[in-house]
């Protein structure tokens, strides 16, 4: 039995971390280099591109127009973008995002359109703004070929969402071997829920924002002992792409060299063998042995925090730095987790610490996150 997107090559190009002419200006995309990267990707037989309304301050969609839409026949590639309706102040503003994306990209239609970043309190705003009906109407008009959603939450709310909206044609999930058994991300459980509902999956963050490309020595040595010639990112990509029922695996590539490496790996893709899965298991065990904040994301602290600080998500991003020394990735995650309330809003009332089953010194950890991730 075939499924939506089964025929799409299993490497997708994420247009989230494009090369820049000015490293301090997120909108200064090096469009000529992006064109070179797109050409490498397309010439190798890969066709799926993923962007979003807010990537690079909106200029990612403009780059998609200049590097892809204006240079290749429209039927030769798939273009996906996303609507972050939870950041809009009204239904009209959310709907306008769709039309802005169409104009910026010049795509004419989107092959895959996603309601962006569902989960937590954000999901309710898509209902409030009537986004489900809106995207269905755009599909009827031919402006969307297929629609679904990207999701950042646990398996239980994912199951509830899929029960409420069987019209969703696919889901986009964060899946990588580091988060596979994570109590915060619940990657395995979310994957299993999507499979139970027969929803094809687009995989995001297979290399965990770059963290799995530069691993601590104790973890890297596990992979080197198994295959000294294989790169660390290749293990992460193959783990994700070996899953059944996926549309594609997104890689946020920033250089032509990264594109060359990924297409070489995925052009003649071979799923992980049983022996290689054992190597992944050893690497997961090595990761678990590293120092980290022992948050299980039980969310008891959230029920007590009068400021609404997303404590488990903040502690998770702090772990990204502590485990992988990936400061850039941790700062990105912190920005995402604190879109509404910063960790610096903590009043040190201590209510969160009184209910924490793991007895985490939450106030101190929030202070550390402010110092490392907010004020740096």
């Amino acid at each position: 039995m075939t499924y939506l997107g089964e025929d799409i090559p299993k490497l997708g190009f994420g247009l989230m971390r494009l090369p820049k002419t000015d490293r301090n200006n997120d909108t200064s995309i090096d469009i000529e280099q992006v064109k070179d990267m797109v050409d490498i990707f397309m010439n190798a037989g890969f066709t799926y591109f993923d962007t979003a309304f807010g990537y690079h301050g909106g200029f990612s969609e403009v780059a998609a127009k200049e590097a892809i839409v204006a240079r290749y026949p429209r039927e030769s590639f798939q273009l996906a973008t996303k609507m972050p309706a939870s950041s809009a102040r009204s239904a009209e503003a959310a709907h306008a995002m769709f039309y802005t994306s169409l104009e910026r990209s010049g795509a004419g239609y989107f092959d895959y359109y996603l309601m962006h970043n569902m989960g937590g309190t954000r999901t309710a705003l898509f209902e409030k703004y009537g986004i489900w009906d809106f995207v269905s109407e755009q599909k009827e008009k031919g402006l969307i070929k297929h629609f679904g959603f990207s999701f950042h939450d646990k398996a239980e709310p994912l199951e509830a969402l899929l029960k409420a909206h069987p019209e969703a044609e696919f889901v986009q999930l964060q899946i990588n071997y580091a988060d596979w058994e994570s109590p915060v991300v619940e990657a395995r459980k979310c994957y299993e829920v999507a499979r139970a509902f027969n929803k094809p999956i687009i995989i995001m963050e297979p290399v965990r924002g770059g963290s799995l490309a530069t691993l601590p020595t104790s973890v890297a040595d596990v992979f080197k002992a198994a295959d000294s010639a294989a790169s660390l990112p290749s293990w992460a990509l193959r783990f994700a792409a070996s899953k059944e029922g996926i549309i594609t695996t997104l890689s946020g590539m920033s250089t032509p060299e990264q594109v060359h490496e990924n297409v070489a790996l995925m052009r003649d893709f071979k799923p992980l063998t049983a022996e290689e899965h054992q190597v992944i298991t050893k690497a997961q065990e090595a990761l678990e042995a590293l120092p980290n904040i022992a948050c299980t994301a039980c969310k008891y602290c959230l029920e007590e925090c009068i400021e609404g600080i997303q404590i488990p998500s903040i502690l998770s991003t702090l772990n990204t730095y502590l485990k992988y020394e990936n400061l850039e990735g941790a700062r990105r995650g912190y920005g995402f987790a604190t879109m509404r309330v910063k960790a610096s809003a903590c009043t040190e009332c201590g209510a969160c610490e009184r209910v924490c089953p793991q007895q985490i010194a939450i106030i101190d950890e929030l202070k550390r996150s402010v110092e490392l991730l907010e004020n740096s």
Side-chain angles (χ1 to χ4, degrees):
M1 181 179 177
T2 60
Y3 63 87
L4 173 66
E6 184 175 16
D7 58 339
I8 293 176
K10 300 313 170 195
L11 176 67
F13 194 151
L15 305 176
M16 183 180 184
R17 303 181 184 107
L18 296 175
K20 298 179 288 188
T21 56
D22 179 356
R23 61 179 299 178
N24 297 316
N25 182 358
D26 197 42
T27 66
S28 64
I29 295 173
D30 186 340
I31 193 63
E32 294 306 316
Q33 190 170 8
V34 174
K35 290 178 182 178
D36 291 341
M37 294 163 66
V38 166
D39 291 345
I40 296 166
F41 187 78
M42 290 284 285
N43 290 337
F46 297 94
T47 59
Y48 189 100
F49 296 89
D50 170 271
T51 182
F53 178 85
Y55 289 175
H56 286 277
F59 281 83
S60 175
E61 292 178 332
V62 175
K65 178 179 181 178
E66 296 185 25
I68 309 164
V69 177
R71 300 172 63 242
Y72 286 91
R74 184 62 185 87
E75 68 278 4
S76 67
F77 61 88
Q78 299 87 35
L79 182 62
T81 195
K82 313 180 194 74
M83 174 200 290
S86 58
S87 65
R89 294 187 176 183
S90 67
E92 292 75 18
H95 297 176
M97 290 176 175
F98 173 79
Y99 299 113
T100 298
S101 293
L102 270 181
E103 181 180 0
R104 284 174 181 164
S105 66
Y109 62 89
F110 295 114
D111 301 272
Y112 290 79
Y113 193 73
L114 294 89
M115 289 166 272
H116 195 190
N117 187 22
M118 285 199 168
T121 59
R122 301 177 300 278
T123 300
L125 285 173
F126 289 86
E127 303 284 353
K128 178 180 178 180
Y129 294 158
I131 305 302
W132 287 96
D133 290 337
F134 176 79
V135 296
S136 295
E137 291 167 4
Q138 306 317 308
K139 182 178 180 180
E140 291 177 3
K141 296 175 183 177
L143 299 178
I144 293 172
K145 298 300 181 183
H146 306 287
F147 67 83
F149 58 90
S150 62
F151 188 78
H152 290 273
D153 205 340
K154 294 190 174 185
E156 186 175 345
L158 175 60
E159 182 176 3
L161 185 54
L162 289 174
K163 283 181 178 178
H165 290 286
E167 68 270 32
E169 298 176 82
F170 63 92
V171 297
Q172 184 162 309
L173 300 174
Q174 178 172 321
I175 293 177
N176 56 69
Y177 66 77
D179 290 322
W180 191 237
E181 297 295 349
S182 164
V184 178
V185 180
E186 291 193 346
R188 176 183 58 79
K189 292 180 179 180
C190 286
Y191 170 78
E192 290 172 352
V193 166
R195 293 287 289 159
F197 280 82
N198 294 315
K199 301 299 181 184
I201 299 159
I202 298 168
I203 292 178
M204 59 181 164
E205 300 292 356
V207 193
R208 208 177 190 275
S211 293
L212 304 184
T214 54
L215 292 164
T217 301
S218 61
V219 186
D221 285 348
V222 173
F223 292 119
K224 290 178 181 177
D227 185 348
S228 60
S231 70
L232 296 178
S234 72
W235 284 96
L237 276 175
R238 290 182 64 214
F239 172 85
S242 294
K243 301 303 175 193
E244 296 182 353
I246 68 170
I247 295 173
T248 197
T249 304
L250 300 175
S251 177
M253 296 174 279
S254 303
T255 66
E257 291 74 23
Q258 289 175 356
V259 183
H260 276 299
E261 180 180 352
N262 285 348
V263 300
L265 172 71
M266 298 297 289
R267 185 187 291 114
D268 301 312
F269 173 70
K270 295 179 177 61
L272 292 175
T273 64
E275 292 77 13
E276 289 171 325
H277 273 293
Q278 288 300 314
V279 175
I280 293 285
T281 298
K282 291 180 181 178
Q284 290 169 324
E285 292 170 350
L287 276 173
E288 284 300 310
L290 293 172
N292 71 101
I293 302 164
C295 176
T296 62
C298 67
K299 298 186 178 180
Y300 293 159
C301 56
L302 294 184
E303 297 172 6
E304 301 296 325
C305 182
I306 61 174
E307 301 298 330
I309 299 170
Q310 296 300 301
I311 296 169
S313 297
I314 292 171
L315 298 187
S316 178
T317 63
L318 193 53
N319 272 336
T320 296
Y321 175 70
L322 296 175
K323 273 194 172 187
Y324 309 101
E325 299 181 1
N326 183 356
L327 186 56
E328 181 182 354
R331 285 173 177 165
R332 282 198 306 269
Y334 179 82
F336 180 77
T338 59
M339 290 176 65
R340 296 186 181 276
V341 185
K342 303 292 185 185
S344 54
C346 175
T347 62
E348 302 185 29
C349 69
C352 56
E353 294 186 354
R354 287 193 289 272
V355 298
C356 178
Q358 306 304 318
Q359 298 182 331
I360 297 169
I362 295 174
I363 294 172
D364 289 343
E365 298 299 355
L366 290 179
K367 287 179 180 178
R368 180 157 59 157
S369 73
V370 171
E371 180 180 352
L372 287 171
L373 308 177
E374 183 176 327
N375 292 338
S376 54

